[in-house]
Amino acid sequence: MEFTRIISIEDPLFAKMHTLLGEVFPPEEVLEFDLWKEPLEDPGIRVFVAVEAGEVVGATEYRYYPQWNIAMTDFTIIGSPGKGIGRFLAKKREEDLKQLAQSNGKELFGMFAEIYDPYEREDFDFGGIMAMNPYVRREVLSHLGYQRLDFAYVHPSWKNDGEAVEGLDFCFMPLDETKEIQASLIVDFLTDYYSVLSNKPKRWIEMIEELQNKETVRLLPL
């Protein structure tokens, strides 16, 4: 299995990855094909696929923010079971992020992730791939060290239609024994992360305003 970076929508592997995205995630979570052009060309956005016999069997997108010394996991896809794809992607991502942090003269502080909450919303089928079942994924991410940030979370739809997407928790995986993080870090990160979307839902704006009135946010079990 190969860990291959995609930097252009012209790469044939990208079309295969985008098809896999559409099979696994709900429509409001998938950026349109052509809108991937600039993100893929951004050196700070790292999109890798797991390739076996020329086919994309898994994928992960993540990014490192040197100004905050944190990372964000955008998504991880396991295309088929029984191949160790999840572990392969997680280890390769960890190695890459550690190198990026070392190049920044630091040890990685931690990583954000949006994690589906099937206890709130159960209509996720993720293309019928059991390895992507939200109950399974939630427990795997908990084992990796992710914890839930203590606030009610919504995010803007990637359709840029002004709708608020529910059914997720915003989480953080500290690489030390941190029990809370600065609310300002969350605000700065989310504001930057969703800056590409011009049509923000009212509920998202209110969430950001509430966070701006806090000093810290607790980390809770996932």
Side-chain angles (χ1 to χ4, degrees), residues 53-149:
E55 295 301 318
V56 171
V57 295
T60 185
E61 175 184 324
Y62 56 96
R63 54 193 89 189
Y64 175 67
Y65 295 81
Q67 68 272 38
W68 302 310
N69 188 36
I70 57 96
M72 170 69 174
T73 302
D74 297 323
F75 63 77
T76 299
I77 298 176
I78 299 167
S80 57
K83 296 184 176 181
I85 297 167
R87 177 173 173 78
F88 173 78
L89 292 172
K91 294 297 291 182
K92 291 293 187 180
R93 181 176 61 216
E94 179 184 16
E95 291 169 7
D96 188 38
L97 285 170
K98 283 184 176 179
Q99 281 191 334
L100 291 169
Q102 287 173 1
S103 298
N104 195 30
K106 298 177 181 178
E107 291 187 10
L108 185 67
F109 175 51
M111 193 176 335
F112 286 118
E114 295 173 332
I115 297 175
Y116 288 96
D117 181 3
Y119 301 99
E120 177 183 334
R121 177 180 166 187
E122 298 184 348
D123 59 337
F124 303 115
D125 64 10
F126 293 94
I129 300 172
M130 290 308 297
M132 294 293 293
N133 179 286
Y135 290 100
V136 174
R137 296 175 70 214
R138 196 172 176 90
E139 288 305 312
V140 168
L141 290 165
S142 178
H143 276 71
L144 287 175
Y146 280 97
Q147 299 174 64
R148 177 172 61 88
L149 286 158

Side-chain angles (χ1 to χ4, degrees), residues 1 3 15 66 68 85 88 102 105 111 153 157 183 185 200 217:
M1 201 176 299
F3 191 63
W68 302 310
I85 297 167
F88 173 78
Q102 287 173 1
M111 193 176 335
Y153 183 66
S157 168
L185 173 60
K200 304 292 197 306
V217 177

Side-chain angles (χ1 to χ4, degrees), residues 119-205:
Y119 301 99
E120 177 183 334
R121 177 180 166 187
E122 298 184 348
D123 59 337
F124 303 115
D125 64 10
F126 293 94
I129 300 172
M130 290 308 297
M132 294 293 293
N133 179 286
Y135 290 100
V136 174
R137 296 175 70 214
R138 196 172 176 90
E139 288 305 312
V140 168
L141 290 165
S142 178
H143 276 71
L144 287 175
Y146 280 97
Q147 299 174 64
R148 177 172 61 88
L149 286 158
D150 188 19
F151 69 97
Y153 183 66
V154 297
H155 79 71
S157 168
W158 285 105
K159 291 181 178 179
N160 201 26
D161 55 8
E163 294 296 317
V165 178
E166 301 177 321
L168 300 102
D169 288 316
F170 196 52
C171 301
F172 187 71
M173 179 181 69
L175 297 189
D176 56 20
E177 297 304 312
T178 296
K179 302 298 182 185
E180 60 183 18
I181 64 174
Q182 294 295 310
S184 60
L185 173 60
I186 302 171
V187 169
D188 289 345
F189 171 76
L190 289 175
T191 301
D192 180 88
Y193 188 73
Y194 285 109
S195 62
V196 67
L197 297 176
S198 58
N199 197 5
K200 304 292 197 306
K202 183 173 181 287
R203 288 180 58 196
W204 185 87
I205 294 170

